[in-house]
Amino acid sequence: MTGSSDGGGAPLLVGDGVMAEAWRELCPGCRQQRKVQASDRIPYADFLFIWISCLCAALPIQSLFPYLYFMIRDLKVAKEEQDIGFYAGFVGATYFLGRTISAVPWGMFADKYGRKPCIVISILSVVVFNTLFGLSTTYWMAIVTRGLLGLLCGILGPIKAYASEVCRKEHQALGISLVTSSRAIALVIGPAIGGFLAQPAQKYPNLFSEESIFGRFPYFLPCFVISVLAAGSCVACIWLPETLHFHNDDKVDAIDELEAQAGDSNLEAVKAKESRGESTKNLLKNWQLMSAVILYCIFSLHDTAYLEIFSLWAVSSRKFRGLSLTSQDVGTVLAVSGFGVLVYQLAIYPFLAKYLGPIKPFRPAAVLSILLLATYPFMANLNGLELKILINIGSLLKNMFAATITIACNILQNTAVTQEQRGVANGISVTLMSMFKAVAPAAAGILFSWAQKHISGLFLPGDQILFLILNMVSIIGLVLTFKPFFSLPNVMSRS
């Protein structure tokens, strides 16, 4: 391949006497591809924008749980205190329901109109609907704004594709890991924002008066802070380059074929294009992939239901076998466990995976998680410092076990398919996972409300039945890791 030395010319492809224009000057994808190929440096600025955008999209999810119980109580939709969990569950579920509906359309939108518009619209939806959620004066306003946030924030799938397209192939793993790490940071920052900034007029009367907007809308401040961060991220998106190619796909395919005939390095890409159509049809028949996706969905349901139940249980009254913690206490517990999980993912888990592989730590983590959750109801008998220490340790261990399982499921999914199929495979996984996550908060809220109404009179106290049912989900997932249901990818079975 030869090309002009100045930036204005379009490189020409010469092969077997045929000459074709390989770049389109008006195509932003071509410009970005030329930029990427011209330098082997890591695109730190682009990676920073990606990280901030992912963080702002994840914060509204994680910041909600410390104060959701108190918000539902203040909206006065629950006739009895025991019904708060019932209504809280649907607020948590509407976000994931909206994401389930829009996951595939957003992927199609990003493939047709570009990654950058999808990212910008997603961040703008955080600014608008997260702010409106904090200003909610009725239960239905909270439901609608939360659902619209999930529906319009379609960043999860396209940002992974963008992170791999904005850099050279050798830096793609770093780009994808930034998406994961930003969500891990959200596990730390989100609960802290929600726990410490909710009800500011009560917690910080010297700074916020009851007559101020933050006093009249006690859950607006955490939403406002996140929306300000998202607004800054949206402004930063101005400098994000577009990576999607906007020209005739047939011509691009012809160019790829000519490059292949000339012996160019794009032979691998041509083969990928030829096989992509057939392989996509066979993904749902790939049992190694689908068994890993089903495991991922089951444990995602468990983790989301656990987070909902834990947050409601921790702040509920002692008379209902709760812990009577404040939103600030819950925010602290979730932030500490989130930080611990981040350290675990960066410093400990890589060594476990290196020496044991992803499956060997998977099953012990599931078993230990079950045993740990069985002890949770008995923490209601503790008080003071002893309770705070044990609940922090328990939450940290539970989230470490969950991280071990989630990472293993992601590895299993990606090793079950070829590299060319991973985008579609992850799209299937995100859609199904979002469906399970949409069910989890609603089911958890209903179950929590039922448990508080049946504290006594059954074969077990309501709170113990609550955590027993939660453990049953983990047990089902654990059973499904064995044959004949589970099929280990060939690459792993040979290793």
Side-chain angles (χ1 to χ4, degrees):
M1 179 181 293
T2 61
S4 60
S5 58
D6 61 322
L12 298 178
L13 173 67
V14 181
D16 296 335
V18 181
M19 184 175 292
E21 187 179 3
W23 304 100
R24 306 293 194 279
E25 287 301 323
L26 298 179
C27 173
C30 286
R31 289 198 297 268
Q32 177 61 21
Q33 190 173 350
R34 292 181 69 178
K35 178 183 175 183
V36 167
Q37 293 183 356
S39 173
D40 60 355
R41 297 177 60 187
I42 297 174
Y44 290 105
D46 295 335
F47 278 175
L48 177 62
F49 293 150
I50 290 171
W51 188 85
I52 294 174
S53 299
C54 289
L55 178 65
C56 292
L59 283 176
I61 304 174
Q62 303 301 334
S63 63
L64 174 69
F65 295 103
Y67 63 81
L68 180 58
Y69 182 93
F70 302 102
M71 185 179 191
I72 300 301
R73 181 197 65 189
D74 292 347
L75 290 176
K76 301 186 186 303
V77 66
K79 295 180 180 179
E80 298 179 356
E81 189 176 349
Q82 300 97 309
D83 293 328
I84 291 177
F86 176 87
Y87 292 100
F90 288 101
V91 175
T94 49
Y95 175 89
F96 295 108
L97 178 61
R99 195 169 73 178
T100 301
I101 296 171
S102 65
V104 173
W106 271 120
M108 297 169 64
F109 178 91
D111 285 340
K112 185 174 182 179
Y113 298 105
R115 320 302 192 204
K116 185 174 178 178
C118 180
I119 294 171
V120 172
I121 293 172
S122 297
I123 299 301
L124 280 174
S125 72
V126 173
V127 175
V128 175
F129 294 107
N130 187 60
T131 301
L132 291 175
F133 177 76
L135 294 171
S136 296
T137 55
T138 65
Y139 178 71
W140 288 109
M141 181 178 176
I143 287 282
V144 170
T145 54
R146 195 75 180 167
L148 288 173
L149 176 59
L151 193 70
L152 296 176
C153 188
I155 199 173
L156 184 59
I159 199 70
K160 291 181 180 179
Y162 185 83
S164 64
E165 294 167 350
V166 80
C167 61
R168 295 170 70 98
K169 187 173 182 179
E170 58 266 28
H171 302 142
Q172 288 178 356
L174 175 60
I176 297 294
S177 67
L178 285 173
V179 177
T180 305
S181 67
S182 67
R183 304 186 79 81
I185 291 293
L187 284 172
V188 182
I189 302 175
I193 291 174
F196 284 89
L197 299 185
Q199 301 170 309
Q202 296 180 22
K203 295 174 181 175
Y204 317 108
N206 294 330
L207 296 176
F208 303 94
S209 68
E210 290 288 349
E211 291 75 26
S212 68
I213 187 172
F214 300 113
R216 290 182 286 115
F217 300 94
Y219 308 101
F220 175 57
L221 182 57
C223 296
F224 177 72
V225 169
I226 293 172
S227 295
V228 169
L229 292 174
S233 173
C234 194
V235 172
C237 285
I238 294 173
W239 291 276
L240 277 180
E242 178 57 70
T243 60
L244 187 67
H245 292 271
F246 290 96
H247 42 68
N248 193 308
D249 289 336
D250 293 335
K251 293 180 181 179
V252 176
D253 290 340
I255 292 169
D256 288 340
E257 290 173 6
L258 287 170
E259 289 177 344
Q261 292 171 6
D264 196 83
S265 60
N266 279 338
L267 179 61
E268 181 181 347
V270 174
K271 291 181 178 179
K273 289 177 181 290
E274 292 173 351
S275 64
R276 191 173 294 127
E278 294 182 4
S279 61
T280 300
K281 298 177 183 178
N282 295 327
L283 278 178
L284 295 177
K285 299 179 182 179
N286 183 342
W287 187 243
Q288 293 177 348
L289 169 65
M290 295 312 298
S291 61
V293 169
I294 291 171
L295 281 176
Y296 182 47
C297 290
I298 290 173
F299 283 104
S300 293
L301 183 148
H302 173 270
D303 293 341
T304 307
Y306 162 79
L307 188 57
E308 180 87 12
I309 288 173
F310 175 81
S311 301
L312 296 173
W313 170 69
V315 299
S316 61
S317 173
R318 288 279 182 174
K319 64 182 179 182
F320 299 120
R321 299 282 298 168
L323 303 184
S324 292
L325 299 179
T326 65
S327 61
Q328 190 170 334
D329 292 330
V330 176
T332 301
V333 171
L334 295 178
V336 168
S337 62
F339 179 76
V341 168
L342 179 62
V343 174
Y344 171 74
Q345 287 180 319
L346 295 176
I348 300 175
Y349 182 80
F351 291 99
L352 288 177
K354 180 179 180 181
Y355 293 106
L356 300 177
I359 279 295
K360 289 183 179 178
F362 183 112
R363 290 172 181 141
V367 172
L368 291 172
S369 175
I370 292 168
L371 295 175
L372 177 63
L373 273 189
T375 67
Y376 268 42
F378 302 101
M379 292 187 187
N381 299 322
L382 304 176
N383 290 286
L385 183 62
E386 185 180 23
L387 171 62
K388 290 185 178 181
I389 291 175
L390 286 179
I391 198 63
N392 273 281
I393 293 174
S395 178
L396 173 60
L397 291 174
K398 175 66 184 70
N399 285 306
M400 286 172 58
F401 298 147
T404 302
I405 294 168
T406 300
I407 294 172
C409 288
N410 280 301
I411 292 174
L412 289 170
Q413 290 174 43
N414 285 288
T415 52
V417 295
T418 62
Q419 184 178 14
E420 296 78 27
Q421 296 174 312
R422 285 174 188 165
V424 179
N426 279 289
I428 294 171
S429 175
V430 168
T431 301
L432 294 177
M433 177 267 290
S434 296
M435 291 174 60
F436 277 72
K437 281 194 170 185
V439 171
I446 293 171
L447 182 61
F448 180 82
S449 179
W450 177 89
Q452 288 204 325
K453 292 179 179 179
H454 296 83
I455 290 298
S456 60
L458 299 173
F459 66 97
L460 285 174
D463 59 328
Q464 292 189 29
I465 296 177
L466 176 68
F467 285 101
L468 176 63
I469 294 175
L470 192 57
N471 265 337
M472 289 301 298
V473 179
S474 288
I475 292 172
I476 292 171
L478 179 61
V479 170
L480 295 182
T481 63
F482 294 95
K483 293 182 178 181
F485 177 84
F486 183 69
S487 179
L488 192 68
N490 295 330
V491 174
M492 292 188 172
S493 61
R494 291 194 297 266
S495 60

